């Protein structure tokens, strides 16, 4: 058992404001996750815009450095890696981005994004072998090479472009794929196809998948575990069945209750969602306190830790303090890494 | 139902491009009744937004309305001059745009932007009443009256979208067009905005056309759904009917591709890609992707026919159960 990618109490702050009014904005607080080589995971990171989802993806990809905590790959800090370790990391951990339009250079044929990694990582010995590798990889994501190769990006649909990006990631035989909103810009009818290709990669090649999204329905369909982020902090984490079907944290409940269900007989309830943030609640405790219907005095003093409320789930809310014994540090980490489920 | 407020009759819209004519809308007809919520769904390029833009006559540049009529309670909007149409916008038909962040003027306070609407239509209230009127408008969409003094950058996405709704209802129009009004918002805010839109629509008794591709949102909000494919309406029926017993093979696959929270199963996408509108396939535009296609599908375009009361389908499979030939 080797731990591949590991985030250890990682956090990121951005400094905003100028010379006179400098302030720190927390994009991500205290995030931990570990991906085991032998137990590939499919985990979702879900939250609204501004909850820190993309910051987390960028941290895990080594694009930005954490302000506190560490991100390690095979035990080595991603930001102090030697050249060959960095190269291995860049091959093993692949990203799929949100916008299948902007990742392409419009002046190159789409072949470019496939031949470049082959050349850079010396995946093939000669041109014929490279061509064969590219074509077989395209087939694996459900594209016909003769319909895609040699074309320019604008000649392909969004769904085709996004699947080429999945093929590009797959080409490198990665161990982990981090997909940041891979289907949010694709038509609904194509979403299913793209998520299917992602899931196939996990099932056939044992690739761990981190699926970052604001869409709880696709997260539920695709993933085994889920982490719900609110203002940069994990508020609920664990088995996707439990978290989505019986959400515990008031924020998760609000989120799940707002999903527009594709069923005209089960419409949103009549209760209006309380939008107004209470201004009198200090920002020192639970981050959700100013919107929380269950606000208690304890919520305003310190942020709640993740309480282990069942073997496969933990919730950061004082309401569950009595019900579950406070987790020790190691237990919380085990849940975050999906080991318990 | 009562008399329609809006009648769209065999609308054809083409885009002139360097590559040729893009046939974006090919004979769309439907009625919109008073107080009704109609959803127009379809994948990108199916002509749903083009249809909505045609109703408010905001198509630009290469788009040309080739044929058809749009009747707003007796007025043919396509026959109006630009000035006459300007008077109709906001007053009788208004639009809640897709990207609220890009549709407000960044250097004007909200108050000034709402005031503009009254002024442009010659309905500017007395100075003493204006502030109260704007405050009332903002409260109706769930915003605090203080928002009037703010600039768009001081508001969140959901608040900006509500300001757009407030502007859309300022002159109490009969028809509100909403083109994916919540596509940039997250689910909690989306629900709030849609509920706001629903409430003000009911108070006004206005009809709403919601354009989008999120079937979940459609199920939550609309009364009837029109499914568009390659610039044609392929099915038009009540929301219950569409979800419970879709008739057109495309609608069936569309419903089948929606992920749900009931059970984990691998949901299926729709195989193939949308047809090119430059050179659409012969016959039914869906036949190359349709698993039930048979001979007539490649030859004739099936007309929209009523197969059951208030249930319209354009598909050769339902030829035998025809009763009428004109859409409702």
């Amino acid at each position: 058992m080797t731990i591949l990618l590991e985030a250890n109490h990682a956090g990121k702050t951005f400094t905003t404001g100028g010379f006179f009014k400098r302030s720190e904005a927390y994009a991500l607080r205290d995030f931990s996750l570990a991906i085991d080589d032998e137990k590939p995971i499919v985990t979702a990171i879900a939250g609204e815009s501004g909850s820190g989802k993309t910051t987390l993806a960028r941290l895990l990809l080594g694009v930005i450095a954490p302000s506190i905590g560490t991100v390690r790959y095979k035990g080595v800090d991603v930001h102090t890696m030697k050249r060959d370790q960095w190269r291995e990391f860049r091959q093993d951990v692949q990203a799929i981005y949100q916008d299948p339009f902007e990742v392409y250079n419009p002046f190159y044929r789409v072949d470019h994004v496939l031949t470049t990694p082959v050349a850079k990582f010396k995946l093939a010995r000669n041109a014929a072998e490279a061509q064969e590798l590219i074509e077989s990889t395209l087939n694996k994501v459900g594209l016909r090479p003769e319909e895609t190769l040699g074309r320019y990006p604008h000649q392909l649909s969004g769904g085709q472009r996004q699947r080429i990006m999945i093929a590009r990631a797959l080409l490198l035989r990665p161990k982990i794929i981090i997909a940041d909103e891979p289907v949010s810009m694709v038509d609904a009818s194509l979403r299913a196809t793209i998520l299917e290709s992602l899931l196939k990669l996990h099932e056939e090649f044992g690739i761990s998948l981190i699926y970052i999204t604001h869409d709880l329905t696709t997260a539920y369909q695709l993933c085994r575990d889920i982490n719900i982020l609110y203002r940069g902090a994990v508020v609920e984490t664990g088995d996707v069945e439990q978290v989505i079907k019986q959400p515990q944290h008031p924020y998760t409940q609000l989120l799940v209750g707002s999903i527009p269900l594709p069923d005209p007989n089960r419409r949103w309830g009549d209760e209006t969602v309380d939008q107004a943030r209470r201004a009198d609640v200090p920002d020192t405790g639970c981050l959700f306190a100013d919107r929380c219907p269950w606000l208690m005095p304890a919520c305003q003093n310190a942020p709640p830790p993740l309480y282990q409320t069942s073997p496969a789930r933990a919730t950061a809310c004082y309401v569950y303090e009595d019900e579950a014994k406070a987790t020790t540090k190691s237990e919380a980490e085990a849940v975050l890494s999906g080991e318990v489920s | 139902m009562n008399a329609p407020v809006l009648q769209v009759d065999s609308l054809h819209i083409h885009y002139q491009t360097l590559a040729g004519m893009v046939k974006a809308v090919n004979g769309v007809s439907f009625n919109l009744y008073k107080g009704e919520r109609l959803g127009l769904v379809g994948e990108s390029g199916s002509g749903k937004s083009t249809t909505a833009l045609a109703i408010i006559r905001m198509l630009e540049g290469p788009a040309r309305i080739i044929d058809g009529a749009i009747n707003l309670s007796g007025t043919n909007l396509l026959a109006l001059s630009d000035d006459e149409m300007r008077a109709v916008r906001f007053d009788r038909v208004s639009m809640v745009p897709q990207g609220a962040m890009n549709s407000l003027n960044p250097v004007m306070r909200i108050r000034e932007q709402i005031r503009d609407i009254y002024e442009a239509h010659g309905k500017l209230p007395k100075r003493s009443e204006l502030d109260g009127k704007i405050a009332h408008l903002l409260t109706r969409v769930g915003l605090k009256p203080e928002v009037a003094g703010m600039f768009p950058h001081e508001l969140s996405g959901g608040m900006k979208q509500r300001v757009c709704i407030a502007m859309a209802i300022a002159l109490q129009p009969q028809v509100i067009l909403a083109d994916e009004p919540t596509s940039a918002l997250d689910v909690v805010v989306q629900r709030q905005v849609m509920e706001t839109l629903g409430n003000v629509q009911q108070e006004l008794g206005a009809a709403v056309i919601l354009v989008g591709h999120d079937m979940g949102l459609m199920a939550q909000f609309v009364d009837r759904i029109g499914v568009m494919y390659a610039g044609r309406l392929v099915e038009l029926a009540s929301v219950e009917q569409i979800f419970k017993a879709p008739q057109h093979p495309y609608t069936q696959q569309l419903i089948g591709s929606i992920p749900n929270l009931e059970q984990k199963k691998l949901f299926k996408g729709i195989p193939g890609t949308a047809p090119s509108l430059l050179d659409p396939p012969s016959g039914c535009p869906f036949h190359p992707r349709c698993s039930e296609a048979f001979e007539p599908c490649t030859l004739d375009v099936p007309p929209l026919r009523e197969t059951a009361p208030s249930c319209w389908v354009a598909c050769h499979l339902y030829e035998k159960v025809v009763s009428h030939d004109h859409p409702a």
Side-chain angles (χ1 to χ4, degrees), chain A residues 15-23:
Chain A
T15 312
T16 56
F19 197 68
F20 296 107
K21 227 175 108 184
R22 222 173 146 82
S23 67

Coordinates of all heavy atoms in Angstrom, one line a residue, chain A residues 15-23:
Chain A
T15 N -4.6 37.1 -0.7 CA -4.6 38.4 -0.1 C -5.3 39.3 -1.0 O -5.0 39.4 -2.2 CB -3.1 38.9 0.1 OG1 -2.4 37.9 0.7 CG2 -3.1 40.1 0.9
T16 N -6.3 40.0 -0.5 CA -7.0 41.0 -1.3 C -6.8 42.4 -0.8 O -6.3 42.6 0.3 CB -8.5 40.6 -1.3 OG1 -9.0 40.7 0.1 CG2 -8.8 39.3 -1.9
G17 N -7.2 43.3 -1.6 CA -7.1 44.7 -1.1 C -5.7 45.2 -1.5 O -4.9 44.5 -2.0
G18 N -5.5 46.5 -1.2 CA -4.3 47.1 -1.6 C -3.4 47.4 -0.4 O -3.3 46.7 0.6
F19 N -2.8 48.6 -0.5 CA -1.8 49.0 0.4 C -2.4 49.3 1.8 O -1.9 49.0 2.8 CB -1.2 50.3 -0.1 CG 0.1 50.6 0.5 CD1 1.2 49.8 0.3 CD2 0.2 51.8 1.3 CE1 2.4 50.1 0.9 CE2 1.4 52.1 1.9 CZ 2.5 51.3 1.7
F20 N -3.6 49.9 1.8 CA -4.2 50.4 3.0 C -5.2 49.3 3.7 O -5.2 49.2 4.9 CB -5.0 51.7 2.8 CG -4.1 52.8 2.4 CD1 -4.1 53.2 1.1 CD2 -3.2 53.4 3.3 CE1 -3.3 54.2 0.7 CE2 -2.4 54.4 2.9 CZ -2.4 54.8 1.6
K21 N -5.9 48.7 2.8 CA -6.9 47.8 3.3 C -6.6 46.4 2.9 O -7.2 45.8 2.0 CB -8.3 48.2 2.8 CG -9.4 48.3 3.8 CD -10.7 48.8 3.2 CE -11.7 47.7 3.0 NZ -12.9 48.2 2.4
R22 N -5.6 45.8 3.6 CA -5.2 44.5 3.2 C -6.0 43.5 4.0 O -6.2 43.6 5.2 CB -3.7 44.3 3.6 CG -2.9 43.7 2.6 CD -1.5 43.8 3.2 NE -0.7 42.6 2.9 CZ -0.1 42.5 1.7 NH1 -0.3 43.4 0.7 NH2 0.6 41.4 1.4
S23 N -6.5 42.4 3.3 CA -7.2 41.4 4.1 C -7.0 40.1 3.4 O -6.7 40.0 2.2 CB -8.7 41.7 4.2 OG -9.3 41.6 2.9

